[in-house]
Amino acid sequence: MLRRLITTTALLAAALTGAAGGTAAAADAPLRDLAEARGIHLGTAVTGGKLTGAYADTAAAQFGSLTPGNEMKWGSVEPVRGQYSWTGADRIVDFAEAHGQRVRGHTLVWHSQLPSWVSGGTWTPDALRAVMTDHVTTQVTRYKGRVHQWDVVNEPLNEDGTLRQSVFGATLGESYIADAFRAARAADPAAKLYLNDYSTDGVGAKSDGMYALVRRLLAQGVPVDGVGFQAHLILGQVPASLEANLRRFADLGVDVAVTELDIRMTLPATAEKLDRQKADYAAVTRACLAVTRCAGVTVWGFTDSDSWIPDFFPGQGAATPYDEQLNPKPAYAGIAGALAPVAPPGPAGCTATYTAQSQWGGGFTGQVTVRNTGTAPLAGWTVGWEYPAGQRITQAWNAAVTQTGTAVTATHLPYNGTVPAGGSATFGFNASWTGANPPPAALTCS
């Protein structure tokens, strides 16, 4: 399919001019360096056959991590049982090593892009388990010490959070996930092992299912090191709960990462749409930065000429940070601005934000996020506010909360008092209300 050229020099110049604070100062620094300075990686999926010329130069200069878009999938590396083809995957790994980049291996076990001998086979549970673990072992062993993170199992869930009835799920049940992770750990104990899926970016049925799955796997001792959130998003629809969702998974003791970010729009692109996309890319990047255990952000192709979107969503596109001619779009400035160094107000400081997450007759659930705005870790925090309409706290978690009249005071607990510079902590509560439930006029944080 021919893809429409959707970004003009005029649109780029207009949207890149006057970028938000920090972007101008960071304009000369590659994205990979900005990300590394903030403690995360900024990666991209690539097509191995295109790693020449300007495409290769941009991939090497701007991104600290590479993900093979297709070259490591089962159908690519083992199209015939026991016969492996490593040419495409080797090319990307060699390129990454030559340019000081990490590699995210994608993906070992997935229901799609399987060779027909797997997807169309008639399997007993023991036979399929043996085939799967042999494939995982062979591939991870080949790249032992060269692949930093593996998407061990990709897209295991349905939209409602239940187990997808793929050839693996239908034959082996949920146990195939544990088997794949254990095989990968045995093959390379140093690699970070991820469970990866789409439509889990915000809090909802599918992400709840993923959360429950990760808890079960961890309880069984399965070596899940991280959870990947694909983030194939639509313009203007970055989930409001993205940061909170990343944090609740991180609180399980695993790393999190945004693994396949793109933000599509209905074509043609306009200056207004590109500016909205810039803000969306910045919002996703900031959400990762706000969660201590977020390892990084990977865009799913950095140029529109290498994007999957137009082929799968006719009439939509312009989803990546670069246009088809490898010119940076406003989205690039959005990422750079979010990654740019910030000048905190002092060696230590904090702010607090209050949200009412849900409300019912006579009651509601609230959440407060405490952010460290300084350069040194917070050694403890206390948040205070006054309720304007007589609301009463009835229950609290992740903080010690007391109320005297309308005044509420919340203090950290032993496990969440230390907040790193730029990091955050959250606590929640249930409360009662009568007549009206307006938020506090202001919060204090010390």
Side-chain angles (χ1 to χ4, degrees), residues 359-398:
Q359 180 171 302
W360 59 93
F364 70 101
T365 297
Q367 179 174 284
V368 174
T369 299
V370 178
R371 297 185 186 281
N372 182 351
T373 58
T375 57
L378 289 177
W381 46 264
T382 298
V383 177
W385 68 87
E386 293 271 350
Y387 270 130
Q391 298 99 318
R392 299 292 302 179
I393 303 291
T394 58
Q395 180 186 19
W397 49 93
N398 296 333

Side-chain angles (χ1 to χ4, degrees), residues 209-281:
M210 178 65 80
Y211 184 85
L213 172 60
V214 173
R215 290 188 65 179
R216 289 195 299 274
L217 293 171
L218 293 174
Q220 297 165 28
V222 178
V224 179
D225 298 314
V227 178
F229 301 81
Q230 292 185 13
H232 294 297
L233 303 176
I234 300 172
L235 188 71
Q237 296 184 24
V238 175
S241 58
L242 174 60
E243 180 185 328
N245 193 42
L246 294 177
R247 182 172 288 104
R248 69 166 174 160
F249 279 86
D251 287 345
L252 292 175
V254 297
D255 293 339
V256 295
V258 177
T259 55
E260 303 183 21
L261 175 63
D262 49 31
I263 302 176
R264 65 185 184 268
M265 65 182 71
T266 300
L267 299 176
T270 64
E272 181 180 5
K273 291 177 184 177
L274 292 171
D275 194 56
R276 174 70 260 182
Q277 186 185 58
K278 171 186 171 183
D280 287 349
Y281 266 96

Side-chain angles (χ1 to χ4, degrees), residues 276-368:
R276 174 70 260 182
Q277 186 185 58
K278 171 186 171 183
D280 287 349
Y281 266 96
V284 174
T285 306
R286 286 195 299 268
C288 177
L289 290 170
V291 178
T292 304
R293 295 199 65 154
C294 186
V297 175
T298 294
V299 296
W300 200 248
F302 63 90
T303 167
D304 291 338
S305 66
D306 202 28
S307 174
W308 68 293
I309 294 296
D311 292 334
F312 284 81
F313 298 94
Q316 299 185 54
T320 76
Y322 284 78
D323 71 12
E324 294 186 353
Q325 296 179 325
L326 294 175
N327 297 308
K329 291 158 56 179
Y332 176 99
I335 297 170
L339 291 173
V342 295
C350 66
T351 61
T353 55
Y354 175 105
T355 57
Q357 294 186 303
S358 61
Q359 180 171 302
W360 59 93
F364 70 101
T365 297
Q367 179 174 284
V368 174

